[in-house]
């Protein structure tokens, strides 16, 4: 993630006056998650056909959410590799009861 | 991301019968994004105090969303490094009009 | 709300085979909330101008979310007048500590 | 809705200094929609049992979202009865192609 966080930061520095304010970023996250939901409704709602182009669009929507999450992390000086590891560790413990091991 | 996608996949294989169905994952994403919103409301809503513990919790909430996004990507065979690069490339073009270069 | 719930139900009965499944409705809610977020970003994000047309669009986005929430309620036989009253009652108690009375 | 909008407005006037700012309200909406998603995951995710208590909780979560949507509408002077009618009218046209009449 470090490389991606740097890439986003470089882009922001080149193109914008700085990161949005936190609640603006949050509202963008909600907007992008909405677009992801639309894509999944398109794929799995009433009609069932999906082709490779749809999967590519799904991938792009997921990445759009990633991008804006990284903006939120960067604007708070968060190291996502570190916190992702922490969450994975927590998961092993936390989810012991929720999911049965195979 | 490749390492993280693998890590999540290993965890899923060890602990669960497989990935949730897409709309279940989507509902989990909405749930986790809601928790992220709560944390931001806590940080930036009525009261202003924030300490390093709050930032750590914010980092964890962002990583929770990342985790479930990776689940969605993995369950569709999506390579997030590839699609993230594609989105960054698109960004350079797409946002030319939206944001002024500094 | 009773009239609105009936109106939506009539419309669904006339136009569709029935209500979507719950997680499909949830995904639609996320999608519509995303459109609401976009409208608020448009109104309050970087630029500040807002005219009466924008407020009308905001009103429509709120109503779109209402519509799909009513679908979810109807498909579970929920009486929204009753539950809204219950929530308002709970609020008076629940929020006593969260918000100071003027 | 007029009665409900008035009820919320009275409550806000009695208990708070006024409505939150729009992006704060939006973040609250995302938070409440996340709780609604959690309830639906609880009802329809891995396990299937649902009892009348679950439906009541679902009803409360829907009403929580309604409450905060009404806050957003009130803070913009929006008449939800009017905009809901407009949306229903639009629906009849808009969805003609999307859904087949029975």
């Amino acid at each position: 993630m470090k490389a991606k966080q740097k890439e986003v930061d470089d882009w922001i520095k080149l193109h914008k006056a700085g990161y949005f304010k936190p609640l603006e970023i949050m509202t963008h996250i909600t907007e992008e998650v909405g677009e992801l939901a639309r894509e999944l409704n398109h794929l799995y709602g009433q009609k069932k056909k999906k082709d490779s182009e749809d999967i590519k669009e799904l991938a792009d929507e997921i990445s759009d959410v990633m991008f804006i999450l990284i903006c939120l992390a960067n604007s708070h000086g968060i190291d996502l590799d570190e916190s992702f590891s922490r969450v994975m560790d927590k998961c092993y413990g936390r989810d012991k009861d929720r999911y049965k091991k195979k």
Side-chain angles (χ1 to χ4, degrees), chain A residues 71-84:
Chain A
C71 285
L72 182 60
N74 281 356
S75 65
H76 286 82
I78 288 167
D79 179 329
L80 282 172
D81 287 318
E82 186 193 299
S83 65
F84 191 84

PDB file of all heavy atoms in Angstrom, chain A residues 71-84:
ATOM      1  N   CYS A  71      -7.075   8.562   0.107  1.00  0.00           N
ATOM      2  CA  CYS A  71      -7.088  10.016   0.360  1.00  0.00           C
ATOM      3  C   CYS A  71      -7.382  10.287   1.839  1.00  0.00           C
ATOM      4  O   CYS A  71      -6.732  11.119   2.478  1.00  0.00           O
ATOM      5  CB  CYS A  71      -8.161  10.701  -0.489  1.00  0.00           C
ATOM      6  SG  CYS A  71      -7.720  10.870  -2.233  1.00  0.00           S
ATOM      7  N   LEU A  72      -8.385   9.586   2.360  1.00  0.00           N
ATOM      8  CA  LEU A  72      -8.750   9.777   3.768  1.00  0.00           C
ATOM      9  C   LEU A  72      -7.588   9.387   4.683  1.00  0.00           C
ATOM     10  O   LEU A  72      -7.259  10.111   5.632  1.00  0.00           O
ATOM     11  CB  LEU A  72      -9.994   8.939   4.095  1.00  0.00           C
ATOM     12  CG  LEU A  72     -10.539   9.055   5.517  1.00  0.00           C
ATOM     13  CD1 LEU A  72     -10.941  10.483   5.845  1.00  0.00           C
ATOM     14  CD2 LEU A  72     -11.740   8.121   5.703  1.00  0.00           C
ATOM     15  N   ALA A  73      -6.959   8.258   4.372  1.00  0.00           N
ATOM     16  CA  ALA A  73      -5.817   7.799   5.175  1.00  0.00           C
ATOM     17  C   ALA A  73      -4.656   8.795   5.088  1.00  0.00           C
ATOM     18  O   ALA A  73      -4.121   9.229   6.109  1.00  0.00           O
ATOM     19  CB  ALA A  73      -5.378   6.413   4.710  1.00  0.00           C
ATOM     20  N   ASN A  74      -4.316   9.178   3.870  1.00  0.00           N
ATOM     21  CA  ASN A  74      -3.199  10.110   3.680  1.00  0.00           C
ATOM     22  C   ASN A  74      -3.416  11.409   4.436  1.00  0.00           C
ATOM     23  O   ASN A  74      -2.496  11.944   5.054  1.00  0.00           O
ATOM     24  CB  ASN A  74      -3.021  10.417   2.193  1.00  0.00           C
ATOM     25  CG  ASN A  74      -2.299   9.300   1.454  1.00  0.00           C
ATOM     26  OD1 ASN A  74      -1.860   8.332   2.061  1.00  0.00           O
ATOM     27  ND2 ASN A  74      -2.196   9.434   0.146  1.00  0.00           N
ATOM     28  N   SER A  75      -4.649  11.919   4.377  1.00  0.00           N
ATOM     29  CA  SER A  75      -4.898  13.220   5.003  1.00  0.00           C
ATOM     30  C   SER A  75      -4.842  13.126   6.533  1.00  0.00           C
ATOM     31  O   SER A  75      -4.899  14.149   7.217  1.00  0.00           O
ATOM     32  CB  SER A  75      -6.250  13.779   4.541  1.00  0.00           C
ATOM     33  OG  SER A  75      -7.300  12.963   5.002  1.00  0.00           O
ATOM     34  N   HIS A  76      -4.744  11.913   7.062  1.00  0.00           N
ATOM     35  CA  HIS A  76      -4.593  11.733   8.508  1.00  0.00           C
ATOM     36  C   HIS A  76      -3.247  11.098   8.875  1.00  0.00           C
ATOM     37  O   HIS A  76      -3.054  10.678  10.009  1.00  0.00           O
ATOM     38  CB  HIS A  76      -5.724  10.847   9.062  1.00  0.00           C
ATOM     39  CG  HIS A  76      -7.029  11.560   9.143  1.00  0.00           C
ATOM     40  ND1 HIS A  76      -7.855  11.712   8.056  1.00  0.00           N
ATOM     41  CD2 HIS A  76      -7.659  12.192  10.181  1.00  0.00           C
ATOM     42  CE1 HIS A  76      -8.932  12.390   8.412  1.00  0.00           C
ATOM     43  NE2 HIS A  76      -8.844  12.696   9.682  1.00  0.00           N
ATOM     44  N   GLY A  77      -2.365  11.013   7.893  1.00  0.00           N
ATOM     45  CA  GLY A  77      -1.049  10.442   8.162  1.00  0.00           C
ATOM     46  C   GLY A  77      -1.096   8.975   8.578  1.00  0.00           C
ATOM     47  O   GLY A  77      -0.266   8.504   9.351  1.00  0.00           O
ATOM     48  N   ILE A  78      -2.080   8.249   8.057  1.00  0.00           N
ATOM     49  CA  ILE A  78      -2.259   6.845   8.433  1.00  0.00           C
ATOM     50  C   ILE A  78      -1.446   5.932   7.514  1.00  0.00           C
ATOM     51  O   ILE A  78      -1.494   6.084   6.280  1.00  0.00           O
ATOM     52  CB  ILE A  78      -3.760   6.467   8.374  1.00  0.00           C
ATOM     53  CG1 ILE A  78      -4.506   7.129   9.544  1.00  0.00           C
ATOM     54  CG2 ILE A  78      -3.963   4.956   8.387  1.00  0.00           C
ATOM     55  CD1 ILE A  78      -6.008   7.088   9.410  1.00  0.00           C
ATOM     56  N   ASP A  79      -0.722   5.001   8.101  1.00  0.00           N
ATOM     57  CA  ASP A  79       0.020   3.985   7.355  1.00  0.00           C
ATOM     58  C   ASP A  79      -0.883   2.762   7.199  1.00  0.00           C
ATOM     59  O   ASP A  79      -1.111   2.010   8.151  1.00  0.00           O
ATOM     60  CB  ASP A  79       1.287   3.629   8.148  1.00  0.00           C
ATOM     61  CG  ASP A  79       2.112   2.546   7.454  1.00  0.00           C
ATOM     62  OD1 ASP A  79       1.518   1.686   6.767  1.00  0.00           O
ATOM     63  OD2 ASP A  79       3.340   2.558   7.617  1.00  0.00           O
ATOM     64  N   LEU A  80      -1.397   2.566   5.986  1.00  0.00           N
ATOM     65  CA  LEU A  80      -2.408   1.524   5.785  1.00  0.00           C
ATOM     66  C   LEU A  80      -1.833   0.116   5.892  1.00  0.00           C
ATOM     67  O   LEU A  80      -2.556  -0.818   6.260  1.00  0.00           O
ATOM     68  CB  LEU A  80      -3.110   1.711   4.444  1.00  0.00           C
ATOM     69  CG  LEU A  80      -4.175   2.825   4.428  1.00  0.00           C
ATOM     70  CD1 LEU A  80      -4.667   3.074   3.016  1.00  0.00           C
ATOM     71  CD2 LEU A  80      -5.351   2.458   5.332  1.00  0.00           C
ATOM     72  N   ASP A  81      -0.573  -0.054   5.550  1.00  0.00           N
ATOM     73  CA  ASP A  81       0.031  -1.380   5.720  1.00  0.00           C
ATOM     74  C   ASP A  81      -0.002  -1.779   7.193  1.00  0.00           C
ATOM     75  O   ASP A  81      -0.360  -2.911   7.539  1.00  0.00           O
ATOM     76  CB  ASP A  81       1.477  -1.381   5.215  1.00  0.00           C
ATOM     77  CG  ASP A  81       1.547  -1.343   3.696  1.00  0.00           C
ATOM     78  OD1 ASP A  81       0.749  -2.051   3.056  1.00  0.00           O
ATOM     79  OD2 ASP A  81       2.372  -0.597   3.150  1.00  0.00           O
ATOM     80  N   GLU A  82       0.363  -0.836   8.030  1.00  0.00           N
ATOM     81  CA  GLU A  82       0.393  -1.094   9.468  1.00  0.00           C
ATOM     82  C   GLU A  82      -1.009  -1.394  10.010  1.00  0.00           C
ATOM     83  O   GLU A  82      -1.220  -2.373  10.716  1.00  0.00           O
ATOM     84  CB  GLU A  82       0.987   0.139  10.168  1.00  0.00           C
ATOM     85  CG  GLU A  82       1.228  -0.024  11.648  1.00  0.00           C
ATOM     86  CD  GLU A  82       1.514   1.338  12.293  1.00  0.00           C
ATOM     87  OE1 GLU A  82       2.510   1.981  11.908  1.00  0.00           O
ATOM     88  OE2 GLU A  82       0.721   1.760  13.163  1.00  0.00           O
ATOM     89  N   SER A  83      -1.981  -0.544   9.636  1.00  0.00           N
ATOM     90  CA  SER A  83      -3.312  -0.737  10.219  1.00  0.00           C
ATOM     91  C   SER A  83      -4.001  -1.965   9.621  1.00  0.00           C
ATOM     92  O   SER A  83      -4.771  -2.639  10.293  1.00  0.00           O
ATOM     93  CB  SER A  83      -4.170   0.520  10.070  1.00  0.00           C
ATOM     94  OG  SER A  83      -4.426   0.789   8.719  1.00  0.00           O
ATOM     95  N   PHE A  84      -3.686  -2.275   8.348  1.00  0.00           N
ATOM     96  CA  PHE A  84      -4.272  -3.478   7.757  1.00  0.00           C
ATOM     97  C   PHE A  84      -3.761  -4.729   8.482  1.00  0.00           C
ATOM     98  O   PHE A  84      -4.535  -5.650   8.779  1.00  0.00           O
ATOM     99  CB  PHE A  84      -3.956  -3.557   6.260  1.00  0.00           C
ATOM    100  CG  PHE A  84      -4.739  -4.608   5.539  1.00  0.00           C
ATOM    101  CD1 PHE A  84      -6.023  -4.352   5.084  1.00  0.00           C
ATOM    102  CD2 PHE A  84      -4.213  -5.881   5.333  1.00  0.00           C
ATOM    103  CE1 PHE A  84      -6.765  -5.327   4.432  1.00  0.00           C
ATOM    104  CE2 PHE A  84      -4.953  -6.866   4.687  1.00  0.00           C
ATOM    105  CZ  PHE A  84      -6.225  -6.585   4.232  1.00  0.00           C
TER     106      PHE A  84
END
